[in-house]
Amino acid sequence: MSSDVPLLSMRGITKRFSAVEALVDVDLDVHAHEVVALVGDNGAGKSTLARMISGVLAPDAGLIAIDGEQVTIPTPTAARALGIATVFQDLALCENLDVTSNLFLGRELRAGAARDDGTMERMARQVLRDLNSRIPSVRSPLSSLSKGQRQSVAIARTLIGSPRIVVLDEPTAALSVAQTAEVLVHIERLRDLGLGVVLISHNMTDVRAVSDRIVVLRHGRNNGMFDAAHVSQEAVLAAITGATRAEVAEGPLSMLLR
């Protein structure tokens, strides 16, 4: 599943906002062909860490390496140049454009002075095939698509530019069961294509369905790293909440396990 050298390695990452310590000495590794779920309660630091990977925020301390080589990621453009693509919760899609135009927004291909619509449409179809997407046509306007299909477009857009690392921030939030299932298939396809995936999610069912490892943040610190195939849900919830496994299994949090 993974090589010895992580595709992405973060060590001792610390970030402060005035007197608030959002992250303290956090470590994270992601290998190729691996989905790493980043979980934790609200305010645990998940989105802050994602924004550092994507170049939106810079750490106050710590090291980031790609393929074992130390890097800095000062901007989202720098992140893309390093092969990092991110889908935040707002998706940043344009309702008045079709699927192809959304996939290539800001990165349109040209043949001379004109847009190369034919090449972009062919590439769009290939990307959607790679993801096993059910979007009916690359010419479909975004406004005609369901929430799940829009999430599919956002994930497909990450493949334009051949990234190596994809960060997904709550990709199944507010989706139906059927739409969630389709998005989870896309995440598995990203792994099958050889990418390293960071999945931020509150949904433990989704996390258990597609992740290889689970990394827990609590109050901005590492509070557990687990093999998703073998860890119990009680153990993960205990790491998220700070409760014991017995308290999770017997108390109100047991409702989350059902």
Side-chain angles (χ1 to χ4, degrees), residues 215-237:
V215 174
V216 178
L217 294 183
R218 177 168 166 77
H219 300 319
R221 293 169 167 81
N222 286 115
N223 202 45
M225 298 185 189
F226 305 101
D227 182 336
H230 298 104
V231 68
S232 69
Q233 200 145 309
E234 289 92 343
V236 177
L237 287 174

Side-chain angles (χ1 to χ4, degrees), residues 170-238:
E170 299 285 357
T172 61
L175 298 186
S176 69
V177 172
Q179 293 167 350
T180 294
E182 185 170 357
V183 169
L184 295 181
V185 168
H186 297 340
I187 295 171
E188 291 176 328
R189 285 295 296 150
L190 293 176
R191 175 176 55 202
D192 294 343
L193 292 168
L195 281 65
V197 180
V198 178
L199 169 63
I200 298 173
S201 180
H202 282 92
N203 190 311
M204 290 306 302
T205 300
D206 295 351
V207 165
R208 296 293 296 273
V210 298
S211 64
D212 300 292
R213 288 189 298 116
I214 301 171
V215 174
V216 178
L217 294 183
R218 177 168 166 77
H219 300 319
R221 293 169 167 81
N222 286 115
N223 202 45
M225 298 185 189
F226 305 101
D227 182 336
H230 298 104
V231 68
S232 69
Q233 200 145 309
E234 289 92 343
V236 177
L237 287 174

Side-chain angles (χ1 to χ4, degrees), residues 22-222:
L23 294 171
V24 181
D25 201 26
V26 169
D27 295 340
L28 176 70
D29 286 338
V30 182
H31 294 81
H33 292 282
E34 182 180 44
V35 177
V36 176
L38 190 61
V39 303
D41 209 346
N42 291 334
K46 306 183 301 297
S47 292
T48 299
L49 193 62
R51 282 167 169 74
M52 289 184 184
I53 299 171
S54 61
V56 176
L57 293 173
D60 295 323
L63 301 176
I64 303 174
I66 303 290
D67 272 338
E69 296 291 329
Q70 186 175 334
V71 299
T72 58
I73 314 178
T75 64
T77 300
R80 288 193 293 271
L82 289 167
I84 300 168
T86 305
V87 179
F88 291 114
Q89 290 187 57
D90 63 6
L91 301 186
L93 300 173
C94 293
E95 293 277 329
N96 61 320
L97 300 179
D98 65 15
V99 171
T100 298
S101 296
N102 269 285
L103 292 185
F104 285 90
L105 188 62
R107 292 180 283 181
E108 292 83 358
L109 302 182
R110 296 196 170 272
R115 281 179 24 138
D116 191 350
D117 291 323
T119 298
M120 288 191 292
E121 285 192 5
R122 286 193 295 275
M123 291 178 64
R125 291 189 190 97
Q126 183 59 56
V127 165
L128 294 175
R129 280 196 296 269
D130 288 342
L131 286 177
N132 293 333
S133 174
R134 299 177 182 175
I135 291 173
S137 169
V138 296
R139 296 183 179 180
S140 298
L142 196 78
S143 58
S144 70
L145 302 182
S146 69
K147 289 182 180 179
Q149 289 172 325
R150 294 179 194 198
Q151 185 66 254
S152 296
V153 173
I155 293 174
R157 187 175 57 187
T158 68
L159 294 178
I160 303 298
S162 302
R164 306 175 66 203
I165 300 161
V166 174
V167 181
L168 303 173
D169 190 2
E170 299 285 357
T172 61
L175 298 186
S176 69
V177 172
Q179 293 167 350
T180 294
E182 185 170 357
V183 169
L184 295 181
V185 168
H186 297 340
I187 295 171
E188 291 176 328
R189 285 295 296 150
L190 293 176
R191 175 176 55 202
D192 294 343
L193 292 168
L195 281 65
V197 180
V198 178
L199 169 63
I200 298 173
S201 180
H202 282 92
N203 190 311
M204 290 306 302
T205 300
D206 295 351
V207 165
R208 296 293 296 273
V210 298
S211 64
D212 300 292
R213 288 189 298 116
I214 301 171
V215 174
V216 178
L217 294 183
R218 177 168 166 77
H219 300 319
R221 293 169 167 81
N222 286 115

